[in-house]
């Protein structure tokens, strides 16, 4: 088996495995032979749980330096996911118990070697191995934003489950996922890593992902610790520029940005990561309000918080801390337990304790939180329990996982346009021109935050392979690249035009390269890069129908491309099985069912744009530009594509919307029904969306908020009633005093296929 790195940069001596047996005996002595028995404990007022007692017994043996060591996390020397700080003596530091966790180490052989080093330390406290397993490990799944477009919570959970199975088999204990940041700004490159703009959908997805990663719970061999990140409000960076400041009302924070974190916590997220941004002037890493008051206080969170890469040190350039020492002090006092790559705790924390500036109880609390997770993972019992070569081998090329990846990928695709039912494509008798820079793309399909393997390109299915190798397909295929993703070279246009002229239909692949969205990948223009739009315009002039496949990690602004095309399919970045999933949809084996998890703007000038905005006192009623209303003079307010939008090869009719009562009292429930009929020719899946508006309240409420959705599958001609139950829980919001409650009054209940097309019923809800 090959790994993506063959140079193990650290000097490690071999043959250390035998030592762990000795270590184990040693640990049994102090960890399991506890000072008092359970009966004696029962008589005490507060009975400690067994893990707490084990943690305490370890803590009692630790020196201050060893405690600080547990709070220290370094990257490996071969993968960097942040600014590089070389450290010459990681081996020595592990052996002396000065490192509690490593990130960017994968593979049983590597994690085993490092764990063996940890077993040479005085207390033999095992290392934690963390990694950015964001959308798959060996099998790459669609980008998280693409998966969100499936609105399929069990598929999303399954994707995280498989990522956990594969990564835990490769020695990983902990993934830095899910990212649960709500974002309404597609200029921000990290929208690809989240679930989009909606708090309700984002919270359900956060929960599904945590459940998927943690499976049957920490301690199961195929579970990895989840990490809800980035706490908090990172997705609201001013101007969509990564790492930028966040200035927002506390009510928005509670109402829009915090609920997905709470959902992740309620689902059992073992860890949290804080964030790079400042929130209203206080860097999140140094924010006591976020970490101590909300997370560890009000929410009673018992896991630990890891800083983001270097974010403790970055409080100096923020202008919040004078130097690394004072940054260390602010971070630990604020509740940031583990220092990822700042070396702030390593260099200053022990001295800060000795000088009395940081109470030892604060350090102890952080250490205990981390040790607890190591116990829960079973690492004290067996530090090498995730170091099983056979298990790693089993999941190295595990066909059922690729099948699952294909299924999630086709569910993530969103059909945006299908004029004259140009799709699905016929399988026989057609000449199909495949044009564009991504026809033979491999690695691009993996998208940002994918893990690279030396043999991975052989496993990735290109669009060419997917479409040309499809079972039962006898079409003939032509190919021309046309142009590069970026750059100004048009020398390939003529060959592309020849292909188009010789074809019945042209499937064009356009979009962003995989590294144009992701961390530090903010864009000010969301248009197709390079000369791709010009290539589309040129092909369109041939009069041949274009089926446009758009690859991107964010909503793009591509109206001209849509106008020029007969069909538009948003394919994001779909992972290892991309080509097969695209072929499933294009040939109609899978009827597209994805729905947009973010609003698509007409131009960048509308950003931030989101469906659940407030109404203003002068709302623009339509897209006509009347005077003195809240509108642009040069473009309509409405988006290019609404939140929740997506087509199918069939059509659905919504009728007979009914509410069980028009006047509801107190804790009564309201049932809302609607009839959905498949009026087209294909069996298809519809996502029926329920929205609600509190028409007048003590604080202004959004024009609509998603409160529920259901996916149903109907045969042609089939009709089904879908019902939703609304309770006062769904009416609640944060009032001016930040109390989460509902208020009596009138409510607009809406049901529809997307946020831009809804039916209404008005009800009155009395106290
Ligand atoms: C920085 C990113 O913001 C974070 O999400 C990631 O987990 C860490 N780097 C580690 O790679």
């Amino acid at each position: 088996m090959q790994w993506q790195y063959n140079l193990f940069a650290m000097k490690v001596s071999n043959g250390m495995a035998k030592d762990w047996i000795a270590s184990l005996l040693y640990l049994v002595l102090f960890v399991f032979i506890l000072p008092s028995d359970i009966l004696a404990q029962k008589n005490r007022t507060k009975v400690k749980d067994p893990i707490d007692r084990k943690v305490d017994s370890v803590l009692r043996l630790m020196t201050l330096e060893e405690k600080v060591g547990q709070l220290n996390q370094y990257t490996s020397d071969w993968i960097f996911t942040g600014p590089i700080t070389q450290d010459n003596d990681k081996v020595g530091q592990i052996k002396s118990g000065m490192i509690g966790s490593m990130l960017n180490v994968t593979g049983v052989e590597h994690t085993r070697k490092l764990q063996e080093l940890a077993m040479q330390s005085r207390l033999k406290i095992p290392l934690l191995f963390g990694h950015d397993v964001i959308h798959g490990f060996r099998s790459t799944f669609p980008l998280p934003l693409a998966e969100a477009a499936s609105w399929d919570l069990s598929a999303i959970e399954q994707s995280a489950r498989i990522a956990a199975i594969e990564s835990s088999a490769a020695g990983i204990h902990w993934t830095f996922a899910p990212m649960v940041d709500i974002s309404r700004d597609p200029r921000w490159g990290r929208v690809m890593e989240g679930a989009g703009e909606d708090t309700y959908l984002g919270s359900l997805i956060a929960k599904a992902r945590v459940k998927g990663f943690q499976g049957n719970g920490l301690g199961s061999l195929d579970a990895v610790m989840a990490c809800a990140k980035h706490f908090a409000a990172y997705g609201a960076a001013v101007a969509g520029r990564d790492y930028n400041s966040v200035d927002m009302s506390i009510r928005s924070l509670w109402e829009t940005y915090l609920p997905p974190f709470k959902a992740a916590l309620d689902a059992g997220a073992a860890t949290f990561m804080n964030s790079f941004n400042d929130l209203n002037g206080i860097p999140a890493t140094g924010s006591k309000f976020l970490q101590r008051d909300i997370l560890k206080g009000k929410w009673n969170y018992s896991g630990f918080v890891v800083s983001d890469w270097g974010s403790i040190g970055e409080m100096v350039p923020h202008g919040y801390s004078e130097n690394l020492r004072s940054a260390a002090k602010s971070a630990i006092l604020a509740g940031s337990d583990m220092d990822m790559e700042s070396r702030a705790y390593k260099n200053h924390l022990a001295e800060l304790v000795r000088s009395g500036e940081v109470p030892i109880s604060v350090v102890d609390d952080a250490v205990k939180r981390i040790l607890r997770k190591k116990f829960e993972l079973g690492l004290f019992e067996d530090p090498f329990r995730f170091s099983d070569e056979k298990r790693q081998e089993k999941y190295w090329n595990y066909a059922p996982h690729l099948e699952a990846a294909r299924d999630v990928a086709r569910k993530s695709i969103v059909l945006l346009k299908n004029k004259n039912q140009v799709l699905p494509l016929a399988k026989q008798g057609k000449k199909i021109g495949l044009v564009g820079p991504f026809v033979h793309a491999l690695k691009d399909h993996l998208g940002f935050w994918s893990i690279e393997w030396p043999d991975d390109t052989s496993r990735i299915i290109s669009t060419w392979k997917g479409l040309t190798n499809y079972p039962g397909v006898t079409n003939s295929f032509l190919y021309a690249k046309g142009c590069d993703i970026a750059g100004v070279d048009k020398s390939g246009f003529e060959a592309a035009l020849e292909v188009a002229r010789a074809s019945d239909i042209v499937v064009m692949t356009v979009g962003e390269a995989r590294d144009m969205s992701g961390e530090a990948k903010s864009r000010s223009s969301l248009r197709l890069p390079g000369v791709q739009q010009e290539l589309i315009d040129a092909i369109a002039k041939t009069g041949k129908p274009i089926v446009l496949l758009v690859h991107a990690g964010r909503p793009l602004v591509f109206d001209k491309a849509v106008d020029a095309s007969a069909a538009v399919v948003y394919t994001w970045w779909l992972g290892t099985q991309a080509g097969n999933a695209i072929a499933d949809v294009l040939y109609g084996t899978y009827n597209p069912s994805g729905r947009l998890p973010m609003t698509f703007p007409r131009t960048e000038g509308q950003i931030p744009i989101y469906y659940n905005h407030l109404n203003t006192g002068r709302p623009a009623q339509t897209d006509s530009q009347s005077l003195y209303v809240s509108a642009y003079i040069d473009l309509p307010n409405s988006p290019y594509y609404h939140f929740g939008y997506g087509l199918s090869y069939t059509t659905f009719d919504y009728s007979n919307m009914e509410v069980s009562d028009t006047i509801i009292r107190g804790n009564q429930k309201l049932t809302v029904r609607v009839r959905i009929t498949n009026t087209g020719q294909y069996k298809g899946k519809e996502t029926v969306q329920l929205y609600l508006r509190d028409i007048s309240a003590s604080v202004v409420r959004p024009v609509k908020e998603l409160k529920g959705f259901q996916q149903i599958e109907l045969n042609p001609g089939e009709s089904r009633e879908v019902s939703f139950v609304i309770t006062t829980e769904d009416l609640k919001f944060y009032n001016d005093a930040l109390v989460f409650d509902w208020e009596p009054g009138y409510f607009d209940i809406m049901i529809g296929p997307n946020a831009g097309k809804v039916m209404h019923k008005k009800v009155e809800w009395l106290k």
Side-chain angles (χ1 to χ4, degrees):
M1 184 181 297
Q2 280 244 309
W3 292 92
Q4 78 267 41
Y5 35 79
N6 31 35
L7 270 185
F8 187 55
M10 302 174 186
K11 284 190 206 125
V12 259
S13 57
N14 292 322
M16 289 175 238
K18 56 183 181 298
D19 288 355
W20 80 264
I21 299 170
S23 316
L24 190 60
L25 287 173
Y26 177 63
L27 281 169
V28 164
L29 279 175
F30 69 76
V31 176
F32 303 107
I33 303 179
L34 298 161
S36 50
D37 65 23
I38 290 162
L39 279 177
Q41 290 280 348
K42 273 192 181 159
N43 297 331
R44 296 182 190 162
T45 43
K46 196 175 166 220
V47 180
K48 276 198 167 180
D49 89 45
I51 292 192
D52 273 346
R53 289 190 289 146
K54 290 175 189 176
V55 166
D56 285 346
S57 67
V58 178
L59 193 79
R60 275 199 291 275
L61 300 170
M62 296 173 81
T63 63
L64 176 57
E65 280 69 21
E66 284 164 338
K67 290 176 181 177
V68 171
Q70 284 306 302
L71 312 186
N72 188 25
Q73 186 190 50
Y74 288 161
T75 182
S76 71
D77 287 342
W78 50 79
I79 303 176
F80 293 94
T81 46
I84 300 176
T85 315
Q86 292 286 0
D87 214 298
N88 296 331
D89 189 27
K90 285 180 186 162
V91 168
Q93 291 182 57
I94 296 174
K95 288 207 272 194
S96 53
M98 296 299 122
I99 302 180
S101 171
M102 296 285 296
L103 76 150
N104 293 333
V105 184
T106 59
V108 163
E109 58 174 315
H110 293 101
T111 51
R112 176 184 282 281
K113 277 179 181 158
L114 296 186
Q115 201 66 291
E116 283 169 353
L117 294 175
M119 290 305 110
Q120 293 179 45
S121 65
R122 189 179 77 91
L123 292 179
K124 305 180 193 329
I125 298 175
L127 287 170
L128 270 181
F129 297 110
H131 203 62
D132 290 290
V133 183
I134 307 292
H135 53 113
F137 186 69
R138 263 301 277 175
S139 320
T140 305
F141 280 66
L143 303 177
L145 182 65
E147 286 189 349
S150 73
W151 293 51
D152 185 331
L153 300 174
S154 54
I156 293 169
E157 183 177 333
Q158 170 76 344
S159 160
R161 184 83 290 276
I162 289 173
I165 291 170
E166 292 184 358
S167 55
S168 62
I172 290 169
H173 309 135
W174 177 19
T175 175
F176 303 128
M179 186 187 100
V180 302
D181 297 306
I182 295 297
S183 181
R184 297 158 162 186
D185 193 330
R187 291 171 299 182
W188 190 50
R190 291 195 86 167
V191 295
M192 53 75 44
E193 202 181 335
E197 76 187 34
D198 185 62
T199 303
Y200 175 83
L201 182 62
S203 300
L204 292 176
I205 290 176
K207 192 173 154 197
R209 290 197 164 124
V210 170
K211 277 170 66 188
F213 287 130
Q214 298 190 169
N216 290 329
L218 303 193
S220 314
L221 269 182
D222 63 3
V224 292
M225 295 198 293
C227 181
K229 69 187 190 184
H230 305 82
F231 199 65
Y234 180 45
V238 169
R241 210 180 65 226
D242 207 2
Y243 316 126
N244 207 0
S245 295
V246 173
D247 194 59
M248 71 165 57
S249 75
I250 296 301
R251 189 163 52 246
S252 289
L253 178 73
W254 277 104
E255 192 159 299
T256 304
Y257 293 86
L258 291 184
F261 287 99
K262 183 63 167 53
L265 187 151
D266 291 343
T271 71
F272 269 57
M273 184 186 288
N274 58 35
S275 57
F276 291 122
N277 57 284
D278 73 81
L279 173 64
N280 301 334
I282 313 287
T285 304
S287 171
K288 188 176 159 295
F289 167 64
L290 287 172
Q291 298 170 108
R292 289 228 183 265
D293 300 350
I294 297 178
L295 183 59
K296 294 178 176 175
K298 191 174 168 62
W299 290 353
N300 204 17
Y301 168 66
S302 62
F304 69 87
V305 179
V306 62
S307 81
D308 204 342
W309 181 300
S311 69
I312 298 179
E314 286 170 20
M315 291 199 285
V316 178
H318 263 295
Y320 185 72
S321 304
E322 204 181 324
N323 49 38
L324 196 61
R325 183 181 185 276
S326 82
K329 178 178 165 184
S330 297
I332 193 80
L333 292 177
S336 187
D337 300 305
M338 186 180 276
D339 172 357
M340 181 195 289
E341 276 293 320
S342 281
R343 289 156 176 77
Y345 289 177
K346 178 199 165 216
N347 290 329
H348 300 289
L349 196 49
E351 189 266 313
L352 280 163
V353 171
R354 285 195 191 98
S355 70
E357 286 166 82
V358 170
I360 186 65
S361 58
V362 169
V363 173
D364 283 353
D365 176 64
V367 175
K368 285 206 261 184
R369 287 169 182 268
I370 292 162
L371 292 180
R372 167 168 263 281
K373 294 302 160 203
K374 294 185 176 182
F375 272 109
E376 286 175 7
L377 286 164
L379 293 175
F380 276 100
E381 286 88 339
D382 177 3
F384 300 99
R385 62 195 300 261
F386 294 90
S387 310
D388 178 348
E389 271 89 0
K390 284 214 177 77
R391 197 159 77 90
Q392 176 172 263
E393 194 70 49
K394 174 176 172 189
Y395 291 115
W396 192 247
N397 282 314
Y398 191 63
H401 288 178
L402 289 179
E403 262 318 298
R406 177 178 185 159
D407 188 48
V408 179
R410 57 196 189 180
K411 287 175 171 160
S412 305
I413 292 172
V414 187
L415 177 66
L416 295 174
K417 180 177 181 183
N418 194 17
K419 200 169 142 199
N420 303 329
Q421 299 273 297
V422 66
L423 288 175
L425 298 175
K427 288 187 183 161
Q428 283 103 27
K430 294 284 176 199
K431 268 195 183 160
I432 299 184
L434 288 174
V435 174
F438 299 105
V439 173
H440 287 287
L442 293 172
K443 283 194 175 181
D444 271 309
H445 284 298
L446 302 185
F448 202 86
W449 284 128
S450 52
I451 294 158
E452 289 191 25
W453 310 102
D455 62 342
D456 70 350
T457 51
S458 64
R459 303 168 81 234
I460 304 165
I461 309 295
S462 69
T463 302
W464 173 265
K465 191 168 178 193
L467 287 173
T468 58
N469 278 6
Y470 207 76
V473 166
T474 58
N475 294 322
S476 56
F477 293 91
L478 298 165
Y479 164 69
K481 184 176 177 192
C483 66
D484 291 326
I485 300 166
V488 294
D489 183 9
K490 296 190 205 167
S491 59
F493 276 31
E494 197 40 53
L497 287 170
E498 272 173 36
V499 162
R501 287 186 206 109
S503 304
D504 300 317
I505 191 162
V506 186
V507 175
M508 289 194 73
T509 63
V510 296
E512 297 184 308
R514 66 189 294 211
D515 57 1
M516 289 179 175
S517 49
E519 185 179 345
K521 300 290 182 277
S522 297
R523 291 182 67 200
S524 61
S525 162
L526 301 183
R527 310 251 161 199
L528 292 169
V531 292
Q532 296 185 71
Q533 181 61 52
E534 287 169 69
L535 179 65
I536 296 169
D537 294 340
I539 302 283
K541 283 199 187 120
T542 65
K544 296 297 167 74
I546 297 174
V547 171
L548 195 70
L549 306 183
V550 187
H551 301 290
R554 52 154 67 84
L556 292 180
V557 172
F558 60 126
D559 48 340
K560 289 194 183 72
V562 175
D563 291 346
S565 307
V568 179
V569 184
Y570 219 73
T571 53
W572 317 97
W573 291 119
L574 294 171
T576 317
Q577 285 287 308
N580 283 337
I582 289 168
D584 283 340
V585 164
L586 262 50
Y587 290 127
T589 310
Y590 186 83
N591 188 352
S593 57
R595 302 289 180 261
L596 298 176
M598 284 188 84
T599 303
F600 276 44
R602 291 171 188 271
T603 77
E604 296 86 345
Q606 288 181 314
I607 297 170
I609 183 168
Y610 46 96
Y611 82 92
N612 46 356
H613 57 85
L614 307 186
N615 209 28
T616 81
R618 293 186 178 189
Q621 293 303 339
T622 64
D623 279 341
S624 70
Q625 281 140 26
S626 14
L627 284 178
Y628 300 111
V629 293
S630 177
Y632 299 100
I633 59 167
D634 56 355
L635 88 164
N637 279 3
S638 59
Y640 197 66
Y641 289 120
H642 288 274
F643 172 82
Y645 177 80
L647 299 172
S648 161
Y649 294 151
T650 194
T651 44
F652 296 99
D653 178 60
Y654 284 61
S655 64
N656 299 359
M657 180 179 170
E658 284 170 6
V659 286
S660 54
D661 290 295
T662 49
I663 299 180
I664 309 106
R665 268 165 226 283
N667 284 335
Q668 270 180 357
K669 290 176 178 166
L670 172 69
T671 304
V672 193
R673 298 190 175 82
V674 68
R675 180 153 289 279
I676 314 293
T677 308
N678 181 340
T679 50
Q681 307 300 316
Y682 298 86
K683 183 177 180 179
K685 204 193 286 173
E686 174 65 334
T687 302
V688 185
Q689 299 161 36
L690 170 79
Y691 297 90
L692 182 145
R693 180 182 178 189
D694 188 337
I695 293 171
S696 73
S698 61
V699 295
V700 176
R701 305 299 305 144
V703 292
K704 55 173 76 80
E705 292 174 278
L706 185 70
K707 291 291 173 180
F709 62 89
Q710 287 181 39
Q711 291 195 314
I712 56 163
E713 192 153 38
L714 297 176
N715 288 312
E718 191 183 346
S719 181
R720 196 177 307 162
E721 188 179 82
V722 171
S723 64
F724 295 94
V725 175
I726 300 177
T727 70
T728 48
E729 276 307 303
D730 301 305
L731 312 181
K732 288 184 177 172
F733 60 89
Y734 287 93
N735 66 21
D736 206 27
L738 289 182
V739 175
F740 190 62
D741 206 355
W742 67 284
E743 293 173 2
Y746 290 98
F747 295 84
D748 188 6
I749 313 293
M750 293 160 267
I751 289 188
N754 62 70
K757 192 178 175 196
V758 289
M759 307 161 85
H760 299 260
K761 287 283 174 194
K762 191 173 172 184
V763 300
E764 187 180 10
W765 211 301
L766 305 172
K767 230 350 176 206

